[in-house]
Amino acid sequence: LFCLYGPILFITILTHEYGHAICTQKLGGTVEGILLWPLGGLAFCGPTQGSVKEDLYVALAGPLTHIPQVAVWFGVFAVASEGDLGSFDRYINLSELREGGADVFFKFVSIQSIVINVGLFIFNLFIPAYPLDGGRCFAALLVMCGVRVQKAGYVTSILAILIGLAMGIYGATEYIKNDSPNGLFVVLICVFIIMNSYQLFSMTKAGRVLQHPLFNRSCYRETEEEAARQQQQQQQGGSPADNITEMT
């Protein structure tokens, strides 16, 4: 099973990280490298010189690579199954896999590849827990909607910690009650999410949110500076034009 899942997972995650890297380069940023490790991958992307919207594009680029990957593997499945789309079954029959030929092998490989890509797409994009891509998208969207960066740091980190705790409870339950190794994997991801989110929370609380890798971009600094200027004007009693009117 490792020989089946290992290469598929490696190619899938590598393609995902290349999505982040290529998008960063297209937007004028730099990429120092890509790291693959047991819990996933990490693209070391330098900041782009664009807007918060472009930072959102970089976060979205990784998960969106799973869509063409699913399309490719679905094509392989259609050919291997000779058009019998009803034979799609995500559960592996080892005896059938051993006794079948190349078409059976590629049929199972394509099915598992589709399942992995769909799962990673949903997990990365629709769970707003930093440092997952969904958490990065969530933080960028908050700032784009007018939320101050410091408040976005608090909301993003606290939400991620709560999601991480829920995942930890679910994973521990699955591992203890059902003896599922997947439960242990979920617990490890939970620890990873909580550790990174707590670091974001701590730096936000210390007033160093713009030094955190999530917000260490010129676009976030400029957005925060503009918001601070507007707040200062409001505290001083309005715009300069309003002050002239009051003096006259």
Side-chain angles (χ1 to χ4, degrees), residues 7 30 49 51 57 67 78 89-90 96 109-110 136 144-145 152 159 161 166 188 196 204 218 238-239:
T30 58
Q49 301 303 315
S51 63
Y57 291 160
I67 297 176
D89 186 358
R90 63 183 296 263
E96 183 180 350
V109 167
S110 58
R136 293 177 57 196
M144 290 171 61
C145 291
L159 177 62
I161 290 172
L188 293 176
N196 282 272
T204 303
S218 60
S239 65

Side-chain angles (χ1 to χ4, degrees), residues 28-41:
T30 58
V31 180
E32 298 180 2
I34 294 176
L35 172 67
L36 298 181
W37 63 308
L39 293 182

Side-chain angles (χ1 to χ4, degrees), residues 16-91:
H16 176 114
E17 298 305 328
Y18 263 114
H20 290 305
I22 293 172
C23 185
T24 298
Q25 291 178 331
K26 291 290 185 181
L27 295 175
T30 58
V31 180
E32 298 180 2
I34 294 176
L35 172 67
L36 298 181
W37 63 308
L39 293 182
L42 178 63
F44 294 96
C45 300
T48 64
Q49 301 303 315
S51 63
V52 177
K53 185 183 293 186
E54 290 188 356
D55 197 50
L56 175 63
Y57 291 160
V58 173
L60 287 171
L64 291 180
T65 62
H66 296 295
I67 297 176
Q69 289 188 78
V70 168
V72 169
W73 284 115
F74 187 81
V76 174
F77 167 73
V79 172
S81 63
E82 298 180 348
D84 183 12
L85 304 184
S87 63
F88 190 100
D89 186 358
R90 63 183 296 263
Y91 297 102

Side-chain angles (χ1 to χ4, degrees), residues 81-122:
S81 63
E82 298 180 348
D84 183 12
L85 304 184
S87 63
F88 190 100
D89 186 358
R90 63 183 296 263
Y91 297 102
I92 298 178
N93 187 324
L94 292 179
S95 60
E96 183 180 350
L97 185 61
R98 285 193 298 264
E99 296 171 2
D103 56 336
V104 174
F105 174 78
F106 281 108
K107 175 182 172 181
F108 279 109
V109 167
S110 58
I111 289 175
Q112 297 310 310
S113 299
I114 292 171
V115 171
I116 289 174
N117 274 280
V118 171
L120 288 176
F121 175 77
I122 295 172

Side-chain angles (χ1 to χ4, degrees), residues 43 65 80 135 142 170 180 191 223:
T65 62
L142 285 177
Y170 169 78
S180 172
V191 174
T223 301

Side-chain angles (χ1 to χ4, degrees), residues 165-186:
L165 289 173
M167 290 177 60
I169 294 172
Y170 169 78
T173 302
E174 282 292 303
Y175 181 71
I176 295 172
K177 286 190 174 182
N178 301 326
D179 197 25
S180 172
N182 292 331
L184 182 59
F185 184 71
V186 171

